[in-house]
Amino acid sequence: MNTETQKVEQSELGEVAIKIRQMHKWYGQFHVLKDINLEVKSGERIVVCGPSGSGKSTMIRCINRLEEHQKGDIIVDGTELTNDLKNIEAVRREVGMVFQHFNLFPHLTVMENCTLAPIWVRKTPKAEAEAIAMQYLERVKIPEQAHKYPGQLSGGQQQRVAIARSLCMSPKIMLFDEPTSALDPEMIKEVLDVMIELAQEGMTMICVTHEMGFAKTVANRVIFMDVGQIIEQNEPTEFFNNPQNERTQLFLSQILQH
Amino acid sequence: MSDNTTTPAGQDYEPGTHPDLPPPFTASGPVKWVADNLFSSPANIIMTILAIFALYKIIPGFAAWAISDATFLAADRNECRELGTGACWAFIVQRWELFTYGFYPEAERWRVILTFVLLMVVIIGLLWENCPGRKHVLRFALIFPFLAFWLVMGGFGLERVTTDQFGGFMLTVIIGVVGISLSLPIGICLALGRQSNLPIIKYACIGFIEFIRGVPLITLLFVASTMLSYFLPPGTNFNLLLRVLIMVTLFASAYMAEVIRGGLQAIPKGQIEAADAMGLKYWAAMRLIVLPQALKISIPGIVNTFIGLYKDSTLVIIIGLLDPLGIGQASLADNKWQGLSTEVYLFVAIFFFISCFAMARYSLYLERKLDTGHKS
């Protein structure tokens, strides 16, 4: 993808989907996130990278309130995240999340995993929810596994089910928390392919990952985090070819070496 | 050793084209089982021989005493002695109805039988997933407690029977079924309450669980039978059986809560996060995601508590309720039937063993059925 098409796409981006303003978070005395400012437009695809312990996972988990922030504002899809459970539930309905360890429900079949939230949260009739689930399972290329249990699938298949499960809620925003870190190398590609396809369809995505190839292919913007701060952000070509910050240069030289 | 299945000699297979062959005779089936389980090592061989020898010594003697030399019909102990040298089951046969119904009026016993039959229908419907007409049975299960109460106690057209006439197996089953069916939901609530973020709920649950667990059941039963009348307003007549049911249920609930808490703690945090991230509310997440998994893990402990409760129901003897053990002890005082304690206690033991063994087997079946191949 060259810079020109990306610029065209940038202009096509819609209104603000996520706005984080001067956000801070502490674990006890430990200041994990420091003054995070981030604006994500609808349709934008953002890759977050950085060394472990830099706060990248914590940051995206704040966006659907799996983690609570103590200072600053987070506004998702026009709703501010406060202690109000109604707001939190509203945000969570519109934000899908894919976890490093899949977190599929092992006591339910793949189909039941996918229809649970539509039926119980969106109150979709069961037959309709199953039809939608089947569509998404076909899109992630595992319709034939619909009636198996997660424990019977490979890691890559499980992660694809997890993606389908999130999509079944027709979310406006998708968060990916290191979706390929727990997978064998052979399986990383099948998951990335699904994510690339999703990106090409215009889904708003924030993705914590170390897959720099993925970042180069689909991201509009790459964010580098360290010690709880956003150190640098730029569009991918510029980010990889011409990193400004010393810390970014060091990080990139280390992960791109092999 | 010669294999009964032979690979065609000297034939080379392309990778991936080798056919699946059946395992050799000695690697599967009963031969392998015996070799693995009975004769796998010198110590194992010695134990097998000793066990067979012990069984040979015990079983024929016991069978002769219990069956071939035993008397099943006789008027009293002396007649028993004349008829056979073995066990005197005549005593049990004669008192069978006392053991089953206690002092429940004879003319009304059909009500107990009917209730028991309906109870079996409900239990089968609840426990057997592919039971024909299960939907109707489950709907019936909702009204069954009221129906059973009416049938057993009387009123509304049926003759009233007071609870001091209850006894025998009937009493055990009543205490067991009520205790089991109430202690599970109460235990779940206590376990969830103990993990609550709201301090009042949390400490109330902890206080309740620790207090009840810290006091012997006998003490609670004594409190139920004697001291409760001091706390209640004078003149209130609070049914003794009801007090016992409440105490037994609370006692089992406290244990149940701790068993289930163990299950809850085994559920990875990611499961709740995934449920939260989908927008499921607390109760939906608990009911659909957390509890099904936690209860599955806790099945052995839950059934263990059930069995404990069921057997503890014999303690009601000390506050004057006559369960089978109580009936047995009272019957042994009869001059006509002296020295039959072995038969009586064996009989009661068999009754309890059958009930408890059934629960244990069902729990194994459930564990196997609910296994979805996920171990992590």
Side-chain angles (χ1 to χ4, degrees), chain A residues 131-145:
Chain A
I132 295 171
M134 212 57 207
Q135 260 178 5
Y136 284 115
L137 287 174
E138 268 158 27
R139 263 185 51 182
V140 300
K141 301 182 187 65
I142 33 175
E144 72 283 0
Q145 314 283 8

Side-chain angles (χ1 to χ4, degrees), chain A residues 93-94 116-124 168-171:
Chain A
R93 276 197 295 273
E94 306 305 331
L116 187 107
I119 290 175
W120 290 93
V121 179
R122 289 235 194 271
K123 314 286 180 202
T124 316
C168 282
M169 284 289 279
S170 3

